[in-house]
Amino acid sequence: MLPDPACLADRSGRWEKHCRRVIVDAILYVVDNGIKWRALPADFPPWPTVYKRFTVWERAGATQRLLDALRDRARLASGRTAAPSAAIIDSQSVRAAPTVATSTRGYDAGKKVQGRKRHIAVDTLGLLVAVLMTPASASDRIAARSLLRRLRSAAGRRVGLVCADGGYTGTLLAWVRTTLVLTVEIVKRPDLPHFTVLPWRWVVERTLAWITHHRRCARDYERLHHHHEAIVRSLIRITV
């Protein structure tokens, strides 16, 4: 979390030139409007300062801690316990900009998308718990192992049930049960000639829609995959 007050002297005793609250506003401006870092309006601190703070906070894990704290507050405000007991996972392939390195991108033959794949885990309210970026060619079953580890780390031992679609079947179910002590419930699409809302799966699909409504996340512009993860984690300030 950010110190209070936001403008504090550093270890050398010199006061910071720019208030951290303003730097946070600049980061959220980039996330919401999808502009380049260099295109930040003059009302904000210089873009190198904002970008440097963004990378430093991400390396320190500040975005995940902020996400956890705000999610807990939102759950308590809705009458739930702070720690979720169930989660829903899903993935979404995102087209990559030319700035994304070929080593971190792939081709999703099913969705016909060249780029990266965004894997997320949410609670039953649709609030983000964990996010993972992989090449679009990565299998959901393989990526789910890392995603569920992050879910366990962020939400604790109280989570016991995870809902997913048919793409997460196979050996993943036994691995999750023995390694992470989680139960994965596969919610299959019924064989009906008309549209129907699937239990629980609509929650995570709604969260994916929330994410793509922000221009910075409509495509993947980040050179480093963990920077895109930090961008997604920053969206909770809007969704709650």
Side-chain angles (χ1 to χ4, degrees), residues 105 118 233:
R105 63 198 297 166
R118 188 160 48 211
R233 285 192 286 266

Side-chain angles (χ1 to χ4, degrees), residues 88 163-165 185-190 196-205:
I88 311 100
C163 296
D165 61 24
E185 179 181 331
I186 303 299
V187 182
K188 296 184 178 180
R189 188 177 301 277
T196 181
V197 177
L198 300 180
W200 298 119
R201 278 178 54 182
W202 69 270
V203 176
V204 66
E205 290 167 356

Side-chain angles (χ1 to χ4, degrees), residues 175-187:
W175 180 88
V176 171
R177 185 167 52 252
T178 57
T179 305
L180 300 178
V181 196
L182 287 172
T183 300
V184 177
E185 179 181 331
I186 303 299
V187 182

Side-chain angles (χ1 to χ4, degrees), residues 2-29:
L2 296 178
D4 188 22
C7 297
L8 297 175
D10 59 17
R11 294 181 180 179
S12 64
R14 181 175 60 87
W15 284 83
E16 296 183 1
K17 183 177 180 180
H18 303 287
C19 179
R20 296 185 183 181
R21 174 69 258 181
V22 180
I23 293 177
V24 170
D25 289 340
I27 294 172
L28 297 180
Y29 187 90

Side-chain angles (χ1 to χ4, degrees), residues 107-186:
Y107 182 70
D108 185 346
K111 301 295 180 63
K112 295 180 173 57
V113 172
Q114 174 69 247
R116 289 180 179 150
K117 187 178 287 187
R118 188 160 48 211
H119 309 263
I120 66 169
V122 302
D123 65 3
T124 54
L125 295 177
L127 301 178
L128 187 68
V129 180
V131 57
L132 172 72
M133 292 299 295
T134 64
S137 56
S139 169
D140 288 348
R141 296 182 183 91
I142 301 301
R145 300 191 179 196
S146 298
L147 178 66
L148 291 174
R149 284 195 183 98
R150 294 189 179 189
L151 170 66
R152 176 63 82 194
S153 176
R157 305 293 299 182
R158 193 169 185 274
V159 176
L161 175 66
V162 176
C163 296
D165 61 24
Y168 295 92
T169 55
T171 58
L172 173 67
L173 304 182
W175 180 88
V176 171
R177 185 167 52 252
T178 57
T179 305
L180 300 178
V181 196
L182 287 172
T183 300
V184 177
E185 179 181 331
I186 303 299

Side-chain angles (χ1 to χ4, degrees), residues 211-230:
I211 293 173
T212 53
H213 283 171
H214 298 82
R215 293 184 179 180
R216 191 73 182 188
C217 296
R219 295 185 69 184
D220 190 353
Y221 297 96
E222 312 306 323
R223 297 179 185 271
L224 303 177
H225 64 90
H226 58 271
H227 282 182
H228 188 94
E229 295 171 0

